[in-house]
Amino acid sequence: MDTFSSGCLPHQSTFAPSLKHTQTMGGICERLQAVYVGIDAILEQMRRKAMKQGFELNIMVVGQSGLGKSTLMNTLFKSKVSRKSAQPNPEEKIPQTIEIKSISHDIEEKGVRMKLAVIDTPGFGDQINNENCWQPIMKFINDQYEAYLQEEINIDRKKRIPDSRVHCCIYFIPPTGHCLRPLDVEFMRRLSKVVNIVPVIAKADTLTLEERDDFKQTIREELRANGIDVYPQKEFDEDAEDRLINDKIREMIPFAVVGSDQEYQVNGKKILGRKTKWGTIEVENIAHCEFAYLRDLLIRTHMQNIKDITGSIHYEMYRVRRLNESNAGPGLAPGQAPTLVSAHTNGQTKVNGGPPNGMAAQCEVLTHEM
């Protein structure tokens, strides 16, 4: 017993400090674990999921022929993504009516995949009589909302609904230097209620800097006078920081842009530009045009916000109207505004047999002009 005791004592005295140190470190680790929950790991989870799924973006370009719509889209994505680039046809004539044509592309950059759809509207504004030429475009946008709605209300719906909704419409204004045409005003007035519109002055290199600034100011005044709310809409600013950023963008609307998919050497660097007898217009130089601001808005800073507004505002307005029409049934008189019918279930509002929606009780009937 003595031998065993004497053998144990040195052993205990040797390891006692290490045991104390271990206990101390264990206490620190426990406290750190108690403080750190790991909520920030959700960002990495979302990133991995988004990288697997990829992204979708559907852009519509509207404007009369010859304003450089195809060239600008190719410049934006540095790829041949326009309709004319994908389906070249030198004998193509101006269509007698507006034809909606969509071309899809899969683009990948640094491991990020995006399915891009460019929707062209050849024939818009090219006729002698352009009355109601916005109607086919309005119908196309609503048809995409309807297709998405039908997928949503299916009992056995897809895990991920294909999104063909138009997220953004780039409207090309001719560089007249004077004012908006009645066609421009009417189109943007009607379409701004159903889609995000970003107006641009096409081929801005045909204007002097003074003419460009005056033209932009005139357009902004006409938009305000006609109640046209283009993207980014002031009413959808989420907070003071958003408002500050978006106010700077609103001061630049419409963007004066120049498109080119031709590369030239300037000061030893390759640049996209347009070469003239007086020099080279650099597309990505903000001193020459505002293409870089447009690209940043559509791709680098506001792409997700554009998609969010499409889904939560424009599509939601369409969905509410359609569900009200379905609830009203055939007894609804032509031109009669449907009323929002709701029922309360467990403290939530259920709209027209649809899913519970806590905000539905506050909704007013919102309609898309047709």
Side-chain angles (χ1 to χ4, degrees):
M1 180 65 69
D2 292 339
T3 305
F4 180 76
S5 299
S6 61
C8 287
L9 287 173
H11 178 76
Q12 289 176 344
S13 61
T14 302
F15 286 92
S18 298
L19 180 60
K20 185 178 179 181
H21 179 70
T22 303
Q23 290 172 342
T24 303
M25 291 301 295
I28 293 173
C29 290
E30 287 177 3
R31 286 196 296 273
L32 288 173
Q33 288 177 352
V35 172
Y36 179 71
V37 177
I39 296 174
D40 59 337
I42 188 66
L43 297 176
E44 179 60 22
Q45 296 172 43
M46 293 171 66
R47 190 192 72 82
R48 285 201 306 266
K49 184 176 180 180
M51 292 284 283
K52 286 180 182 178
Q53 292 181 342
F55 299 89
E56 295 173 321
L57 182 65
N58 306 319
I59 296 181
M60 174 179 277
V61 290
V62 179
Q64 68 187 55
S65 300
L67 291 181
K69 301 187 295 295
S70 300
T71 302
L72 184 68
M73 295 309 297
N74 293 341
T75 310
L76 267 175
F77 296 98
K78 295 188 177 180
S79 303
K80 300 292 185 181
V81 299
S82 69
R83 174 183 60 89
K84 286 186 178 180
S85 299
Q87 298 175 343
N89 183 3
E91 297 181 356
E92 184 177 25
K93 297 179 180 179
I94 295 175
Q96 295 301 309
T97 57
I98 296 176
E99 301 174 10
I100 312 292
K101 297 184 178 181
S102 178
I103 301 293
S104 294
H105 303 268
D106 291 317
I107 300 176
E108 184 170 342
E109 182 181 52
K110 294 183 179 180
V112 179
R113 293 179 295 107
M114 183 172 72
K115 184 179 180 181
L116 172 70
V118 178
I119 304 143
D120 199 358
T121 55
F124 176 84
D126 292 329
Q127 312 305 320
I128 295 175
N129 181 6
N130 290 303
E131 185 178 3
N132 297 331
C133 64
W134 48 267
Q135 286 183 341
I137 298 172
M138 175 78 83
K139 182 179 183 303
F140 178 87
I141 293 172
N142 282 333
D143 285 348
Q144 308 318 303
Y145 289 149
E146 181 66 24
Y148 196 89
L149 176 62
Q150 293 304 316
E151 289 287 350
E152 267 194 337
I153 62 178
N154 278 342
I155 295 175
D156 186 20
R157 64 182 181 183
K158 299 173 182 176
K159 184 178 179 180
R160 190 179 182 194
I161 300 174
D163 190 1
S164 63
R165 297 171 297 182
V166 179
H167 299 128
C168 179
C169 172
I170 303 178
Y171 186 76
F172 288 70
I173 300 169
T176 62
H178 301 297
C179 61
L180 291 175
R181 303 169 300 169
L183 173 61
D184 302 326
V185 173
E186 187 67 11
F187 177 88
M188 287 191 282
R189 187 179 69 82
R190 292 180 179 273
L191 270 293
S192 62
K193 298 175 183 178
V194 300
V195 71
N196 298 309
I197 289 185
V198 177
V200 300
I201 299 173
K203 296 189 173 181
D205 53 324
T206 61
L207 301 171
T208 65
L209 294 179
E210 292 78 11
E211 289 172 339
R212 190 179 79 180
D213 291 340
D214 290 344
F215 192 31
K216 284 162 62 75
Q217 181 61 33
T218 300
I219 291 172
R220 284 194 291 268
E221 291 172 358
E222 289 193 68
L223 292 175
R224 282 194 293 268
N226 289 279
I228 300 170
D229 203 8
V230 298
Y231 184 84
Q233 302 91 332
K234 186 174 288 188
E235 61 181 307
F236 301 145
D237 292 344
E238 295 182 359
D239 51 38
E241 184 182 358
D242 270 0
R243 191 173 301 111
L244 186 64
I245 294 171
N246 291 340
D247 278 344
K248 293 179 180 178
I249 297 171
R250 285 186 278 265
E251 289 172 3
M252 288 189 286
I253 293 286
F255 296 105
V257 298
V258 177
S260 174
D261 48 14
Q262 299 295 316
E263 287 189 341
Y264 297 96
Q265 287 278 351
V266 175
N267 297 326
K269 294 191 302 182
K270 278 188 176 182
I271 58 100
L272 288 172
R274 285 168 55 85
K275 197 168 186 177
T276 69
K277 292 196 305 187
W278 303 275
T280 303
I281 300 162
E282 300 175 30
V283 168
E284 297 180 288
N285 187 338
I286 57 175
H288 292 190
C289 75
E290 295 171 338
F291 167 81
Y293 294 127
L294 174 66
R295 179 194 57 202
D296 289 351
L297 176 74
L298 294 177
I299 302 172
R300 300 183 180 181
T301 62
H302 284 63
M303 180 193 291
Q304 188 58 50
N305 183 254
I306 287 172
K307 295 179 65 175
D308 289 344
I309 289 179
T310 298
S312 61
I313 305 296
H314 296 306
Y315 170 69
E316 189 65 17
M317 289 168 62
Y318 180 87
R319 189 186 70 85
V320 169
R321 178 174 71 85
R322 287 287 289 115
L323 291 177
N324 275 294
E325 287 176 351
S326 300
N327 181 78
L332 186 67
Q336 178 184 349
T339 55
L340 184 65
V341 178
S342 60
H344 292 275
T345 307
N346 296 329
Q348 289 184 311
T349 304
K350 196 173 184 182
V351 183
N352 298 324
N357 181 353
M359 295 295 292
Q362 303 173 19
C363 286
E364 297 178 358
V365 177
L366 299 170
T367 61
H368 284 202
E369 288 191 53
M370 291 294 291

